[in-house]
Amino acid sequence: QIFLVFFFVGLVVNAQDKYLTKVGEVNFEASVPSFEEVAAKNNTVTAIVNTTTNEFAALVLVKGFRFKNALMEEHFNENYAESSIYPKATFKGNIVGANLKDGKSGAYTIAGDLTFHGVTQSIQSIPIEITFEEDAIIIKGNFTVKASEYDIKIPNIVKNKVSETVIISFVFNLDKS
């Protein structure tokens, strides 16, 4: 785990303007109307942004997702995410069309590669909102993925209770490092 933090810091080692958080928030929801909520929150997230190059990276410890229902959390880790085999999810990309050096808050997009469950998929346009504060940057956004794109198999017995489309939302409050 320490190696992974150094890896992400290494992505921007030559940068003079980097912002970092070790307590970001990533949520996901795969609920289906009329059934129990399938949603989780994770605060075991590290993220870093380089305002010189617009590089962005995030690391999520998969076992950090917390559900309202403990049994659902157990099933997620053992049967779907297989978190003992695939303990982390990563996103590496760039904030598109922004000049972060100017410190201007606004709507932007991120493009990059999301790796989850041992599968990497390119995501070309995640809408985000960036807010600059004194010595901090807040990045918020959300996007959707398909469970099948990451080799997540939803058993037939629960297929009508768990959505194939997963909504992922995130908030990172990054401090100047």
Side-chain angles (χ1 to χ4, degrees):
Q1 185 178 3
I2 298 287
F3 167 77
L4 294 171
V5 171
F6 285 122
F7 170 75
F8 283 107
V9 171
L11 286 174
V12 293
V13 73
N14 294 326
Q16 294 179 6
D17 295 315
K18 57 187 172 183
Y19 293 75
L20 173 73
T21 186
K22 294 181 183 174
V23 290
E25 181 179 307
V26 174
N27 303 296
F28 79 81
E29 183 166 355
S31 300
V32 174
S34 302
F35 288 100
E36 186 175 5
E37 177 184 62
V38 179
K41 176 189 272 191
N42 191 331
N43 293 106
T44 313
V45 180
T46 300
I48 191 164
V49 66
N50 177 332
T51 58
T52 301
T53 63
N54 289 358
E55 289 176 289
F56 175 83
L59 169 72
V60 177
L61 297 179
V62 177
K63 285 187 179 180
F65 281 104
R66 298 293 173 243
F67 293 74
K68 290 179 183 175
N69 178 321
L71 185 59
M72 196 177 290
E73 188 171 313
E74 183 180 327
H75 284 275
F76 169 79
N77 281 299
E78 291 178 6
N79 303 328
Y80 298 97
E82 298 178 281
S83 57
S84 61
I85 299 170
Y86 308 105
K88 65 184 180 353
T90 60
F91 181 87
K92 293 183 279 185
N94 288 286
I95 299 171
V96 180
N99 178 5
L100 298 179
K101 293 291 292 172
D102 69 10
K104 184 179 176 188
S105 298
Y108 300 97
T109 60
I110 292 180
D113 294 326
L114 175 63
T115 301
F116 181 76
H117 196 241
V119 177
T120 301
Q121 295 287 340
S122 179
I123 301 176
Q124 294 304 312
S125 183
I126 299 172
I128 60 170
E129 185 70 33
I130 296 179
T131 305
F132 284 86
E133 294 184 349
E134 188 175 320
D135 292 331
I137 298 174
I138 300 168
I139 301 176
K140 297 179 184 181
N142 63 68
F143 61 102
T144 60
V145 297
K146 299 277 188 202
S148 59
E149 293 174 334
Y150 294 89
D151 290 339
I152 304 293
K153 292 167 182 48
I154 301 171
N156 285 336
I157 196 164
V158 294
K159 221 172 189 72
N160 64 337
K161 298 178 183 180
V162 179
S163 177
E164 162 70 7
T165 300
V166 180
I167 302 166
I168 300 168
S169 62
F170 53 88
V171 177
F172 302 116
N173 190 342
L174 303 113
D175 296 314
K176 191 163 181 118
S177 59

